[in-house]
Amino acid sequence: DQQVKQNSPSLSVQEGRISILNCDYTNSMFDYFLWYKKYPAEGPTFLISISSIKDKNEDGRFTVFLNKSAKHLSLHIVPSQPGDSAVYFCAASAGNAGNMLTFGGGTRLMVKP
Amino acid sequence: GAGVSQSPSNKVTEKGKDVELRCDPISGHTALYWYRQSLGQGLEFLIYFQGNSAPDKSGLPSDRFSAERTGGSVSTLTIQRTQQEDSAVYLCASSNRRGGTGELFFGEGSRLTVL
């Protein structure tokens, strides 16, 4: 049973437009959420995170929104750039489980010039 | 080195052989994780080491998989009697926080292909 789900395996966006990547989770014990970005043949790299005490966290072009009642989070990238093309993984952790992250299946973002 | 180092980067083996994958975490990081990513899939947790505590092995898919971490630093993931379904990229990550708010730093992975 997948505790973290990314229902869109791929997303295509025009350069300059907004990219919205979605993630749903089922475990109510999750209290910290992260987004990782992965280029081919490289390990995932941390992008942005949010604690469950917040509903929004912004870092430059990247904003993560958390809706705890819906157990849903989203990553907004605006404006999207061709260099943003990568696979994006949503991840979640529970405070009593160390830093063990449960990952979603990933969404491949393609930003077209 | 500055980042998490994994070796080998690529390994091709025959079904039934044993393989060892190595991870050298960032110096000073007390937590070490192994994940794997099968083709077209997300990252699957395998095992987690935190300091001198007993490892969390809850993600290991079978008893053919084992891992150790010597001296609190380098870790080796061993897969015995490999099967074709073991083919995946095996990713190691380390962290410097015990609590649930630390970022994981990943290596580039070891791509295992079992023929």
Side-chain angles (χ1 to χ4, degrees), chain A residues 24-79:
Chain A
D24 297 290
Y25 63 95
T26 57
N27 188 342
S28 59
M29 297 300 292
F30 288 148
D31 57 6
Y32 197 70
F33 304 89
L34 308 89
W35 285 93
Y36 279 78
K37 178 178 178 180
K38 186 180 184 302
Y39 292 117
E42 294 184 10
T45 54
F46 170 76
L47 190 57
I48 192 169
S49 63
I50 188 167
S51 163
S52 60
I53 62 173
K54 294 186 173 182
D55 55 17
K56 176 183 175 181
N57 188 27
E58 188 173 353
D59 183 2
R61 296 185 297 113
F62 303 90
T63 303
V64 56
F65 295 92
L66 175 63
N67 182 334
K68 282 190 294 182
S69 61
K71 293 191 175 65
H72 176 84
L73 66 156
S74 61
L75 173 68
H76 292 209
I77 307 172
V78 56

Side-chain angles (χ1 to χ4, degrees), chain A residues 2-7 22-25 30 34-36 87-92 101-107, chain B residues 35-37 40-44:
Chain A
Q2 274 191 297
Q3 297 187 62
V4 179
K5 291 184 182 179
Q6 294 175 254
N7 291 318
N22 293 303
C23 177
D24 297 290
Y25 63 95
F30 288 148
L34 308 89
W35 285 93
Y36 279 78
V87 177
Y88 289 78
F89 290 98
C90 169
L101 299 182
T102 301
F103 284 85
T107 296
Chain B
Y35 285 82
R36 74 175 175 181
Q37 184 181 18
Q41 302 297 312
L43 279 68
E44 175 190 5

Side-chain angles (χ1 to χ4, degrees), chain A residues 31-32 34 36 38 41-46 87 89 93-95 97-106, chain B residues 31 33 35 37 40-43 45 48 56 91 95-108:
Chain A
D31 57 6
Y32 197 70
L34 308 89
Y36 279 78
K38 186 180 184 302
E42 294 184 10
T45 54
F46 170 76
V87 177
F89 290 98
S93 71
N99 285 338
M100 197 274 278
L101 299 182
T102 301
F103 284 85
Chain B
Y33 307 76
Y35 285 82
Q37 184 181 18
Q41 302 297 312
L43 279 68
F45 166 74
Y48 159 51
D56 177 350
L91 291 157
S95 172
N96 63 353
R97 291 206 196 171
R98 186 182 184 89
T101 58
E103 172 190 341
L104 299 191
F105 294 83
F106 282 87
E108 295 188 347

